Amino acid sequence: MECRKCNHQNEPDARFCSACGASLTAADKTTVSIPLFDDSGSAANEHQETVASIDPTGAILVARRGPNAGSSFSLAAAVTTLGRSPESDIFLDDVTVSREHAVVERTGDDYRIRDCDSLNGTYIDHERVQDEALAESNEIQVGRFVFTFMRGRKV
């Protein structure tokens, strides 16, 4: 059995890691580890047509990981909600997402994401944020879902 803390290989029936002493009980197996995900460049290439079709001051979120990977979501409204609630503008059906997890707010040409006191937090480029401005190609993580923020192209 591999230790989740130090990756040491232990005996299959071990209860504690022989290298670092960390618990190897079944309760520890419930922790989910989500690896870093960085392919925002390929997101821009794959969604060139979609980005070209939106208003130059508009933006979209492209789902990069999660059940709806490959989908794009318009951020045309002044406020776009993300969450596990079916009433959310972007419905994210997973227990790692709070019912009212985050909102993206649009003011003119500027976009911000605000965490709504979610349990697992909202992340931009692997940093937990409460209220943060969005920039082109930011990676946004909400629970197990990963999105890339893309702006419309000025012609």
Side-chain angles (χ1 to χ4, degrees), residues 79-144:
V79 175
T80 303
T81 59
L82 294 88
R84 192 166 37 96
S85 169
E87 287 81 36
S88 296
D89 297 316
I90 301 176
F91 174 55
L92 305 173
D93 190 18
D94 190 88
V95 296
T96 62
V97 177
S98 296
R99 288 190 173 281
E100 297 174 1
H101 198 102
V103 296
V104 175
E105 297 170 330
R106 177 183 182 175
T107 307
D109 293 348
D110 298 323
Y111 291 83
R112 298 188 72 77
I113 191 162
R114 182 174 41 86
D115 185 80
C116 297
D117 297 322
S118 66
L119 181 63
N120 293 319
T122 300
Y123 295 80
I124 295 180
D125 298 332
H126 313 293
E127 298 283 328
R128 190 170 182 158
V129 298
Q130 273 304 119
D131 185 355
E132 191 76 25
L134 291 171
E136 178 71 22
S137 298
N138 274 151
E139 179 183 284
I140 300 166
Q141 183 171 342
V142 175
R144 292 184 180 148

Side-chain angles (χ1 to χ4, degrees), residues 29-46:
K29 293 179 185 177
T30 61
T31 302
V32 175
S33 178
I34 301 174
L36 296 178
F37 187 74
D38 187 17
D39 71 344
S40 57
S42 69
N45 291 336
E46 290 173 27

Side-chain angles (χ1 to χ4, degrees), residues 16-74:
F16 297 94
C17 177
S18 61
C20 72
S23 175
L24 301 174
T25 62
D28 292 339
K29 293 179 185 177
T30 61
T31 302
V32 175
S33 178
I34 301 174
L36 296 178
F37 187 74
D38 187 17
D39 71 344
S40 57
S42 69
N45 291 336
E46 290 173 27
H47 295 276
Q48 284 179 7
E49 288 180 34
T50 304
V51 171
S53 70
I54 63 175
D55 182 291
T57 62
I60 59 172
L61 289 180
V62 176
R64 305 300 298 152
R65 186 171 56 205
N68 51 5
S71 301
S72 62
F73 302 92
S74 173

